[in-house]
Amino acid sequence: MEETYLLNVEGVKKKILHGGRGELPKLQDGSKFTFHFQTLKDDFERTVIDDSREAGVPMEIIVGKMFKLEIWETLLSSMRIGEVAEFWCDIIHTGMYALVSRGMRRIAEGRDPLEGQKHRCGMGNMFDYHSTGYDDLDELQRTPQPLIFIMELFRVEDPSAYKRDTWAMSKEEKLAAVPVLHSEGNRLVLRREFAQAAAKYQEAVICLRNLQAKEKPWEDGWLKLENLVTPLVLNYCQCQLELGEYYEVLEHTTELLQKHNDNAKAYFKRAKAHAAVWNEREAREDFQRVAHLDPSMAAAVKKELKQLGERMRKKHVEDRKRYQGLFQSSQG
């Protein structure tokens, strides 16, 4: 179709290259667009700046989540499934493109899209972008210009139709997801699928930590969330013990105990991790703390200390034999 359609938006022209099917999708907050795009300069050669097909992965945008290039949500909202359209966008809509492109390129390269940014507000960050790290994007920043976007829309999904990333969830959705993830983790533990269970517990912790970041530390809201986080972290650590990831357990239990130094279960799991990596002194100290904090665990501690003693004696015997063998061979 050669006819150019002017969207009901200032500084935008649309040309349909291939018609889509059905009606315009019904959108709501949280709907997800999946599409391929090409970004071109509005010059004689129509120079290609970016092409998502080269990366081999379609682009995704969540409606209402303030994607930096807001005009893209408007453009996609005008498209039917299967449609290919070309959009000319004036400078008023393209000023942020260099920063958006930098993030997308870094993701495609397997790098952190926020690498190098400082934790400031959006305007503060603008002053940190002396260079994007890409010459063509630096040029776009220096000389803002109209751009052409060619988009092919594959699908539009309702929020309930796909598994939403944590960052895309509202506060209410995150809180609702936590008990579901906790329950799924417990079910997987019963089936001894520890890696999958750990992933569920970890996802629940991320939901809660994201919410906690908006609260003042140690105030009521923060503490309520922390009380939900603690058992999830302990469950995660138990899975890591089963998987033999002992240093992972040491890291997370130590972090937990820095905030809650009276948590007997955290000391118990850390003690087991210390014992597994032959940190005998640290393991004994942690086991003794467990027995002091929770006398009901004294029998379990006694059993663990006995096993630790036996393992250490066996290790000392083996080490002695090994050193004697090395000494004798060097004498020979």
Side-chain angles (χ1 to χ4, degrees):
M1 291 175 142
E2 289 302 318
E3 185 178 356
T4 297
Y5 295 84
L6 295 175
L7 285 180
N8 203 14
V9 180
E10 182 186 355
V12 176
K13 298 175 188 175
K14 175 181 177 181
K15 183 190 294 183
I16 296 176
L17 306 179
H18 183 276
R21 58 185 182 275
E23 301 296 317
L24 285 173
K26 290 184 172 64
L27 301 174
Q28 55 182 301
D29 213 36
S31 294
K32 180 167 77 172
F33 293 112
T34 303
F35 61 100
H36 267 308
F37 74 94
Q38 252 193 340
T39 303
L40 316 173
K41 285 187 179 180
D42 185 22
D43 56 13
F44 181 77
E45 296 86 3
R46 287 168 62 95
T47 306
V48 177
I49 300 171
D50 288 307
D51 186 341
S52 63
R53 291 184 188 280
E54 286 187 4
V57 180
M59 182 75 181
E60 295 178 348
I61 287 181
I62 309 292
V63 173
K65 293 301 173 185
M66 296 183 70
F67 181 62
K68 279 183 180 175
L69 205 64
E70 290 179 26
I71 194 62
W72 273 19
E73 192 174 307
T74 303
L75 306 182
L76 291 161
S77 299
S78 76
M79 298 177 70
R80 292 172 170 80
I81 306 300
E83 181 178 320
V84 182
E86 177 177 310
F87 300 91
W88 178 91
C89 295
D90 206 350
I91 294 172
I92 57 172
H93 300 298
T94 61
M96 292 292 288
Y97 185 76
L99 302 187
V100 171
S101 175
R102 179 180 88 152
M104 292 188 294
R105 291 183 187 186
R106 284 186 166 184
I107 290 169
E109 293 164 6
R111 297 163 63 192
D112 180 356
L114 301 178
E115 181 184 301
Q117 285 195 29
K118 296 177 182 174
H119 294 289
R120 298 195 206 155
C121 65
M123 287 304 293
N125 270 329
M126 288 295 290
F127 296 104
D128 293 327
Y129 288 110
H130 303 300
S131 171
T132 62
Y134 303 93
D135 291 342
D136 58 338
L137 299 183
D138 287 346
E139 181 199 340
L140 277 183
Q141 283 208 126
R142 284 192 299 270
T143 56
Q145 55 196 274
L147 295 173
I148 296 165
F149 302 112
I150 300 175
M151 295 178 161
E152 180 179 2
L153 181 60
F154 296 129
R155 59 183 174 272
V156 178
E157 297 168 274
D158 290 338
S160 60
Y162 65 93
K163 185 179 181 300
R164 303 182 71 185
D165 291 327
T166 301
W167 64 266
M169 292 180 181
S170 67
K171 178 180 178 179
E172 292 72 22
E173 287 169 332
K174 286 173 184 168
L175 284 172
V178 168
V180 175
L181 291 165
H182 198 158
S183 177
E184 288 177 356
N186 293 348
R187 181 176 54 80
L188 289 163
V189 165
L190 290 173
R191 288 162 49 180
R192 302 193 64 78
E193 296 178 17
F194 297 113
Q196 295 89 329
K200 296 292 183 184
Y201 296 136
Q202 187 176 42
E203 191 175 347
V205 169
I206 290 168
C207 283
L208 293 169
R209 291 293 190 213
N210 286 347
L211 293 173
Q212 228 180 4
K214 298 180 175 71
E215 303 285 343
K216 284 191 175 181
W218 302 106
E219 292 196 355
D220 285 349
W222 188 94
L223 286 168
K224 283 178 183 174
L225 293 167
E226 186 67 16
N227 288 337
L228 296 174
V229 166
T230 300
L232 288 162
V233 172
L234 290 172
N235 287 1
Y236 174 81
C237 288
Q238 183 60 41
C239 290
Q240 297 303 325
L241 280 174
E242 298 285 354
L243 294 166
E245 299 290 346
Y246 304 119
Y247 290 103
E248 180 94 351
V249 176
L250 291 174
E251 178 186 343
H252 288 285
T253 50
T254 299
E255 184 182 334
L256 192 64
L257 287 164
Q258 285 169 352
K259 297 176 189 170
H260 313 284
N261 62 3
D262 59 348
N263 192 303
K265 289 181 179 177
Y267 279 118
F268 190 76
K269 293 184 196 308
R270 190 172 75 170
K272 285 177 72 73
H274 274 309
V277 295
W278 307 106
N279 296 338
E280 182 181 12
R281 180 179 59 80
E282 293 87 347
R284 289 187 180 279
E285 287 176 359
D286 278 353
F287 279 132
Q288 285 161 6
R289 285 195 189 99
V290 173
H292 174 72
L293 288 167
D294 187 351
S296 71
M297 297 180 72
V301 166
K302 187 177 179 181
K303 180 182 175 184
E304 291 290 341
L305 285 171
K306 183 181 178 184
Q307 288 178 354
L308 175 62
E310 289 170 355
R311 286 182 69 236
M312 295 308 300
R313 278 192 292 275
K314 187 176 178 183
K315 182 176 185 294
H316 292 324
V317 170
E318 289 173 354
D319 288 347
R320 202 176 303 120
K321 285 179 180 176
R322 191 179 301 115
Y323 294 141
Q324 283 175 348
L326 286 170
F327 179 75
Q328 287 167 357
S329 62
S330 64
Q331 288 293 314

